Amino acid sequence: MIKALFVVSECAPLVKTGGLADVAGALPVALAEHGVAVRVLLPGYRTVLSQIDKAEVVETYAGLFGGAAKLLACRLAGVDLLILDAPHLYDRDGAIYANATGNDWPDNPERFAALCKVAAQIAKDGAGGWTPDLVHGHDWQAGLTPEYLHDLNQPTPFVFTIHNIAFHGNADASKLKTLDLEPTRFTADHFEFWGQISALKAGLIGATKINTVSQTYAEELLTPEFGIGMDGVLAARRADVLGIVNGIDLEAWNPETDPNIQTYKTAAGKAANKKTLRKTFGLRPSKGPLYVLVSRLTEQKGIDLLLEALPSLLADGGQLALLGSGDPRLEIALLEAADGHENVAVKIGYDEQLSHQMMAGGDVILVPSRFEPCGLTQLYGLRYGTVPLVALTGGLADTVINASPAALARGVATGVQFFPITAQALANALERINELFKDRKTWKKMQQNAMKQPVGWQTSAAAYHDLYVSALETTK
Ligand code: ADP
Ligand code: GLC
């Protein structure tokens, strides 16, 4: 039995802004079947604490970056949680990373450094009698953990997963003291990055093993285009960088049992859901495919490309139902598109239940991302027989089988990929989908292939287990 401590800033179903939360909620359950006991260390945001009714105080910390803190242990949705209750850092109105006006909390460096400091402390002294064999950190929010382990002279291995390298978690050099970091290590070979403190770099340099969430993204990260300044740091650690594709929670996302939809076993059952979905979005019946898109609205997700390629989507009676929130400029542009076209419907917001209904009722799930470390909505789409139309990048390249003539002839295609990642190539792909959709036999076959594709955690959880074993061996 391996004991692993996850250090992560969000975890479904308690608190979620994106796929990181899905992974943090589902991977521990999958790892249990491989002999790994995970406890998830999570910030005690107001929203998290309000959902916990029974928890045990297992540790207390007198002074944690400006206030007292407690560590609470509880179990929820099959996951053992350690919640860092530090009101001065986490008990506030607003979102988990940003205030009501959408700006990052100015004390984000302290908020997540605190999580890392407590993780290192748990590695050394345990929590309520439980001491992990290794620490598994996710994204920059966990990046400072190896620094604090080093300062405590604690050799516990640290596995670092990159879900998205675009976020570096930089802090001003003046915070060295506040964050209780060792000033002699503020150098280019540790956590200094262009004059700032970089939590991400600290994690990349200090990790025993590094992985990211797909094979293709692991390769892309080594290039300047995708490495976003960290490609050099990663190249130096190339031998320790691995790609392990994400899975999805097969219970939460199961068209045969999903309580949010009209359940179905074969794609034929989608018809009833499509009818409901059209009603929900105020769309009229139409002969073309119903495209769905569920996403954070950011530059990464290629929403602007879709807006440019919209005429190709709408040709032949295609329709778009989109759910998302984020960049106000994208929100406005989308609402304008919906105003201008009767076959475009947009809901701005975050709605878990509606996202299930969209997977069930859509014909095509769109993911036109400029980069995508893994991507989960195309996996949900596959499971629900909703054919993915995706950019050829990262995990989207690894999880979809493009409907090339060869793949169609072999009867293995599950979706359509486009490259280069431009509005023109996306427009061509939309036209290709419109054609394929008319060929009912081919379309049905693609849906069947999609629904058969294994998208659970089984294989990837085994890969994480092996990664843990190799990290433990490295530090022996
Ligand atoms: P990322 O983590 O980059 O946002 P992923 O595809 O890995 O991208 O994960 C996004 C997750 O967030 C999925 O579970 C998706 O369904 C969910 N999601 C994103 N936006 C919304 C929204 N507006 N409403 C409901 N769920 C959303
Ligand atoms: C990130 C990535 C996304 C990935 C998710 C979970 O947010 O943008 O591609 O699926 O993390 O690993």
Side-chain angles (χ1 to χ4, degrees):
M1 175 68 82
I2 298 174
K3 288 179 283 173
L5 177 69
F6 269 32
V7 185
V8 68
S9 56
E10 41 187 280
C11 183
L14 276 175
V15 56
K16 164 168 165 179
T17 71
L20 173 61
D22 295 84
V23 174
L27 180 55
V29 178
L31 277 169
E33 287 171 32
H34 293 268
V36 181
V38 176
R39 298 207 179 173
V40 178
L41 175 64
L42 188 70
Y45 310 113
R46 186 180 286 178
T47 168
V48 166
L49 292 178
S50 71
Q51 295 170 71
I52 305 288
D53 40 32
K54 242 183 36 208
E56 188 192 342
V57 179
V58 287
E59 296 294 328
T60 56
Y61 306 95
L64 187 67
F65 301 136
K70 289 187 292 224
L71 194 63
L72 310 175
C74 63
R75 194 173 158 83
L76 203 99
V79 178
D80 286 307
L81 297 163
L82 291 170
I83 295 170
L84 181 59
D85 181 9
H88 59 296
L89 300 172
Y90 309 127
D91 182 19
R92 48 182 81 166
D93 282 334
I96 61 172
Y97 306 125
N99 61 21
T101 50
N103 294 316
D104 280 357
W105 294 109
D107 62 345
N108 271 351
E110 288 86 339
R111 296 173 77 227
F112 297 105
L115 198 69
C116 300
K117 204 162 178 24
V118 165
Q121 206 66 54
I122 296 173
K124 190 172 166 66
D125 301 330
W130 182 89
T131 309
D133 301 310
L134 65 86
V135 179
H136 181 173
H138 300 264
D139 275 351
W140 76 263
Q141 290 88 349
L144 289 173
T145 308
E147 281 306 310
Y148 297 124
L149 285 169
H150 168 269
D151 297 345
L152 291 172
N153 205 10
Q154 179 58 34
T156 306
F158 179 71
V159 172
F160 194 34
T161 300
I162 305 165
H163 295 266
N164 195 333
I165 205 141
F167 305 103
H168 288 186
N170 286 351
D172 200 82
S174 63
K175 290 215 174 189
L176 265 178
K177 214 176 152 146
T178 335
L179 298 180
D180 204 10
L181 289 166
E182 172 54 51
T184 59
R185 289 166 69 88
F186 185 60
T187 56
D189 51 353
H190 289 295
F191 58 83
E192 184 266 351
F193 187 70
W194 299 102
Q196 291 199 296
I197 299 163
S198 166
L200 180 69
K201 186 173 171 185
L204 294 176
I205 292 202
T208 320
K209 297 280 174 193
I210 301 168
N211 84 294
T212 184
V213 290
S214 70
Q215 196 75 48
T216 296
Y217 193 58
E219 287 157 26
E220 288 172 342
L221 276 179
L222 297 168
T223 67
E225 187 191 347
F226 291 94
I228 318 188
M230 289 293 167
D231 41 299
V233 178
L234 274 162
R237 303 237 32 204
R238 184 186 291 244
D240 295 313
V241 182
L242 195 75
I244 304 177
V245 75
N246 287 333
I248 61 169
D249 181 336
L250 295 179
E251 273 178 40
W253 294 92
N254 181 351
E256 291 186 40
T257 56
D258 190 333
N260 306 296
I261 66 163
Q262 296 157 77
T263 54
Y264 56 92
K265 260 195 173 54
T266 69
K270 291 173 73 66
N273 288 288
K274 179 145 77 169
K275 210 168 155 193
T276 310
L277 188 63
R278 280 205 170 107
K279 266 204 199 117
T280 307
F281 273 89
L283 291 165
R284 292 216 195 99
S286 179
K287 67 177 181 5
L290 176 55
Y291 291 85
V292 293
L293 192 154
V294 180
S295 183
R296 294 185 290 118
L297 302 177
T298 66
E299 162 91 12
Q300 171 189 347
K301 302 294 181 179
I303 306 297
D304 52 323
L305 305 179
L306 178 63
L307 284 166
E308 234 183 294
L310 210 49
S312 301
L313 185 152
L314 298 170
D316 286 342
Q319 294 177 312
L320 172 66
L322 184 147
L323 168 66
S325 62
D327 183 340
R329 279 167 310 181
L330 287 171
E331 291 183 354
I332 291 167
L334 285 166
L335 289 170
E336 279 173 4
D339 269 350
H341 303 272
E342 61 166 9
N343 280 334
V344 177
V346 170
K347 286 195 191 284
I348 300 298
Y350 187 93
D351 189 334
E352 191 74 31
Q353 190 180 19
L354 182 58
S355 74
H356 284 249
Q357 292 160 356
M358 291 171 76
M359 292 303 158
D363 293 304
V364 180
I365 170 80
L366 274 166
V367 197
S369 307
R370 290 197 162 81
F371 70 94
E372 196 61 75
C374 179
L376 296 178
T377 60
Q378 84 281 11
L379 299 179
Y380 302 146
L382 288 167
R383 179 115 164 106
Y384 282 65
T386 310
V387 170
L389 193 183
V390 303
L392 186 69
T393 186
L396 304 174
D398 298 356
T399 56
V400 173
I401 303 171
N402 183 40
S404 65
L408 286 175
R410 283 176 32 235
V412 296
T414 60
V416 168
Q417 293 168 321
F418 67 95
F419 191 82
I421 306 176
T422 60
Q424 185 55 56
L426 172 56
N428 296 344
L430 287 161
E431 281 156 24
R432 173 121 180 88
I433 287 272
N434 290 346
E435 285 310 308
L436 287 165
F437 188 71
K438 283 182 208 148
D439 177 353
R440 298 312 298 167
K441 208 171 137 211
T442 302
W443 192 261
K444 193 171 162 200
K445 178 74 178 130
M446 282 173 68
Q447 289 180 313
Q448 285 169 346
N449 292 343
M451 291 178 84
K452 271 194 282 190
Q453 184 167 320
V455 287
W457 273 106
Q458 193 61 18
T459 312
S460 296
Y464 274 105
H465 169 269
D466 295 350
L467 182 65
Y468 292 173
V469 170
S470 76
L472 288 164
E473 276 166 5
T474 307
T475 31
K476 250 188 206 154

